């Protein structure tokens, strides 16, 4: 077993940290304005291209950076340190778009890889949250196309997206569609405010008799859940990586503060109750970082799809819960100053909360793990790759 970073991984980590520093300069601007102005987006777009960290999950032959899952996790860990969800300005097309036909790739994926278009994934509905089978959005065949009707909630980046990847049913079969947001019948009906500050919005969409051509269908009829599940597996590993980075930043800030803040005549870092919180944070971070790296590496080795689904749930559940605990302790170490919005730790405290909810709640991650154990036994999820189970 060799855990040493390769030269390439080290260079990548440095490059991602360098990009994160450029973006970090705009955190307060994002917090104050609930987003960034177009000029700042344009400046950051150029910085992302200069750092060659756009579309890191897409193959080089299509114009992406072609990074492995482990390499992506290393990048996401650095970007996860950003507040305002500014990691999301570094565009990473949804991996479901790998199912594009050559002509769809030319119209949707390749422009997105270049940073000229943007997708958003629209799965959740008012009655279909944890249970996507309760889906009510329908695409009814009509001549040589489809007519789409329904509503989607919580569509992250929906305000900036040129097109949506919409999960709907065709004669009852879950199927994904590429839906341009400027088509007649597509409208944003509400843009709710959330606990966190997020560089983009999460609007609600309504589709009323939206006419879609046959080639708007992404993948086959009935393939919708498979495409979305593959997206979840990759995203859950990336959430785990980002939350590790976020917890590390909060802990570094809290440790610096503990060393400089004096109360009762001494730096508060001299008090063992403060040291205990810092120690627990370190445990939460290093255990989850090791887990994320290992599972990302396993994914690159072509691990069994079902086992990986459960293992990605382990990573997302463990890392997001641990980061929630760590950032809570960091706020505590800062005291009142940890509750002020100009403190990155306060922003991370609000922003990490959703990581226990989206892409499947913590309860749903537990159900995925439990389901794997019941159906296929505990050996697969417990096994270390290459070892006997
Ligand atoms: C900020 C934000 C951004 C989002 N972005 C997107 C997006 O881009 N695209 C998208 O499609 N969706 C998005 N979502 C939706 C998100 O994935 C859902 O909120 C999530 O899956 C939970 O669904 P729900 O909110 O309907 O909760 P519900 O499913 O109603 O769950 C409510 C509670 O019941 C629990 N629960 C449900 N079923 C069970 C069970 N069987 N056993 C035990 N407990 C259970 C849940 O864990 C939860 O605690 C986003 C959500 C948020 C908050």
């Amino acid at each position: 077993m060799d855990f040493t970073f390769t030269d390439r991984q080290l260079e990548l980590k440095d490059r991602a940290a360098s990009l994160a520093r450029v973006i970090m300069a705009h955190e307060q601007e994002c917090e104050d304005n609930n987003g960034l102005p177009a000029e700042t987006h344009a400046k950051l777009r150029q910085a992302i291209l200069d750092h060659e960290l756009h579309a890191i999950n897409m193959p080089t032959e299509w114009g992406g950076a072609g990074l492995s899952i482990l390499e992506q996790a290393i990048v996401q860990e650095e970007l996860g340190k950003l507040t305002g969800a500014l990691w999301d300005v570094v565009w990473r097309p949804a991996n479901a778009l790998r199912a594009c036909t050559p002509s769809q790739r030319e119209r949707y994926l390749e422009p997105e890889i270049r940073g000229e278009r943007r997708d958003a994934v629209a799965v959740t509905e008012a009655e279909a949250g944890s249970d996507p089978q309760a889906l009510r959005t329908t695409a009814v065949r009509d001549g040589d196309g489809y007519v789409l009707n329904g509503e989607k909630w919580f569509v992250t980046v929906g305000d900036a997206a040129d097109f949506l990847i919409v999960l709907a049913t065709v004669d009852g079969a879950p199927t994904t569609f590429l839906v341009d947001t400027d088509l007649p019948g597509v409208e944003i009906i509400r843009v709710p405010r959330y606990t966190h500050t997020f560089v983009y919005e999460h609007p609600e969409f309504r589709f009323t008799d939206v006419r879609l051509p046959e080639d708007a269908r992404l993948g086959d009829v009935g393939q919708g859940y498979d495409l979305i599940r593959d997206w979840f597996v990759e995203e859950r590993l990336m959430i785990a990586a980002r939350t590790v980075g976020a917890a590390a930043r909060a802990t570094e800030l809290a440790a610096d503060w503990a060393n400089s803040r004096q109360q009762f005549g001494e730096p508060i870092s001299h008090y063992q109750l403060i040291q205990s919180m810092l120690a627990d944070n370190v445990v939460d971070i290093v255990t989850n970082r090791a887990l994320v790296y290992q599972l990302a590496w396993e994914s690159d080795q072509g691990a069994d799809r079902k086992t990986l689904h459960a293992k990605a749930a382990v990573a997302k559940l463990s890392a997001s819960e641990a980061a929630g605990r760590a950032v809570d302790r960091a706020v505590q170490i800062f005291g009142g100053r940890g509750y002020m919005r100009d403190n990155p730790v306060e922003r991370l405290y609000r922003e990490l909360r959703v990581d226990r909810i989206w892409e499947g709640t913590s309860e749903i991650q537990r159900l995925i793990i439990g389901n794997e154990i019941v159906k296929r036994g505990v050996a697969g999820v417990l096994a270390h790759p290459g070892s006997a189970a």
Side-chain angles (χ1 to χ4, degrees):
M1 245 183 250
D2 182 359
F3 294 104
T4 323
F5 270 24
T6 62
D7 288 347
R8 176 177 156 89
Q9 288 164 344
L10 275 177
E11 184 279 326
L12 196 57
K13 188 173 168 60
D14 283 350
R15 191 148 36 102
S18 158
L19 177 61
R21 280 193 295 277
V22 172
I23 300 174
M24 208 173 265
H26 298 279
E27 284 183 340
Q28 194 61 48
E29 185 185 0
C30 183
E31 175 62 30
D32 293 343
N33 302 300
N34 188 36
L36 293 174
E39 324 68 272
T40 308
H41 273 291
K43 179 184 151 191
L44 295 183
R45 178 179 179 276
Q46 194 53 51
I48 293 159
L49 291 170
D50 292 345
H51 282 78
E52 297 181 7
L53 288 172
H54 56 290
I56 57 174
N57 58 337
M58 287 292 153
T60 47
E61 62 266 33
W62 299 341
L67 301 192
S68 68
I69 298 289
L70 176 56
E71 289 168 341
Q72 290 178 51
I74 291 168
V75 172
Q76 291 292 309
E77 185 186 343
E78 293 305 317
L79 298 181
K81 296 177 179 175
L82 295 165
T83 69
L86 285 166
W87 47 266
D88 210 9
V89 300
V90 188
W91 61 96
R92 250 176 86 251
N95 72 355
L97 293 170
R98 285 170 177 263
C100 279
T101 61
S103 110
Q104 288 172 334
R105 199 187 305 144
E106 213 172 282
R107 281 179 293 139
Y108 292 97
L109 182 54
E110 289 175 4
E112 176 158 14
I113 288 172
R114 293 194 294 270
E116 295 160 8
R117 300 197 80 183
R118 188 79 201 236
D119 76 65
V121 178
V123 174
T124 306
E125 301 180 3
E127 306 304 328
S130 299
D131 177 13
Q133 311 222 13
L135 177 74
R136 287 188 182 163
T137 299
T138 55
V140 175
R141 286 182 205 276
D142 183 58
D144 53 4
Y146 298 88
V147 177
L148 183 74
N149 279 289
E151 282 185 16
K152 292 290 177 183
W153 278 41
F154 303 113
V155 182
T156 300
V157 196
D159 56 320
D162 304 278
F163 66 99
L164 309 178
I165 300 170
V166 175
L167 184 67
T169 56
V170 176
D171 299 329
T175 307
T176 41
F177 289 88
L178 299 170
V179 179
D180 290 303
T181 49
D182 60 359
L183 282 180
V186 177
E187 57 179 326
I188 287 180
I189 51 175
R190 201 162 75 101
V191 185
R193 292 298 307 274
Y194 294 85
T195 304
H196 58 204
T197 300
F198 201 104
V199 61
Y200 302 110
E201 304 285 356
H202 316 277
E204 292 168 18
F205 278 86
R206 179 179 294 148
F207 311 114
T208 312
D209 295 329
V210 180
R211 304 198 74 81
L212 298 174
E214 174 68 25
D215 72 352
R217 202 187 66 231
L218 180 67
D220 294 330
V221 171
Q223 206 192 345
Y225 288 151
D226 287 342
L227 290 179
I228 296 300
R229 193 179 308 114
D230 286 349
W231 176 66
F232 277 148
V233 168
E234 199 172 295
E235 287 308 305
R236 285 171 185 157
L237 286 173
M238 296 308 141
I239 286 174
R242 286 197 298 269
T243 55
V244 167
R249 181 179 180 200
T251 303
E252 280 164 16
L253 290 169
D256 286 349
W257 173 253
N259 281 329
S260 63
R261 174 67 171 168
Q262 300 237 351
Q263 285 296 283
F264 302 99
E266 285 189 54
I268 58 169
S269 62
H270 289 186
Y271 303 128
Q272 289 181 333
L273 291 173
I274 297 288
Q275 290 172 16
S276 163
M277 287 194 273
L278 289 169
D280 285 346
N281 273 19
V282 167
V283 172
D284 273 333
I285 294 159
V286 298
T287 50
N288 282 287
R289 192 174 52 203
L291 173 68
V292 171
Y293 287 175
Q294 182 193 317
L295 296 188
W297 176 85
E298 280 187 50
S299 174
D300 286 328
Q301 307 310 304
D304 168 75
R305 216 159 145 247
K306 286 188 177 152
T307 312
L308 191 61
H309 185 222
K311 286 192 170 188
V314 173
K316 197 248 187 197
L317 173 65
S318 176
S320 64
E321 298 261 338
R325 293 191 294 271
V327 78
D328 185 72
R329 292 185 202 109
V331 168
Q332 198 66 19
I333 291 169
F334 270 100
R337 290 164 177 82
Y339 208 61
M340 293 174 169
R341 284 188 178 224
D342 57 5
N343 186 335
V345 165
E346 186 278 341
R347 301 198 292 271
L348 290 172
Y349 176 73
R350 275 181 290 127
E351 291 162 14
L352 289 188
R353 187 63 185 88
V354 78
D355 290 308
R356 289 184 267 159
I357 297 174
W358 65 5
E359 315 281 339
T361 62
S362 287
E363 292 70 40
I364 295 303
Q365 306 311 312
R366 288 184 174 92
L367 291 181
I368 292 169
I369 301 161
N371 189 43
E372 168 73 5
I373 294 168
V374 169
K375 281 198 179 143
R376 291 161 19 105
V378 77
V381 261
L382 279 186
H384 185 79
S387 70

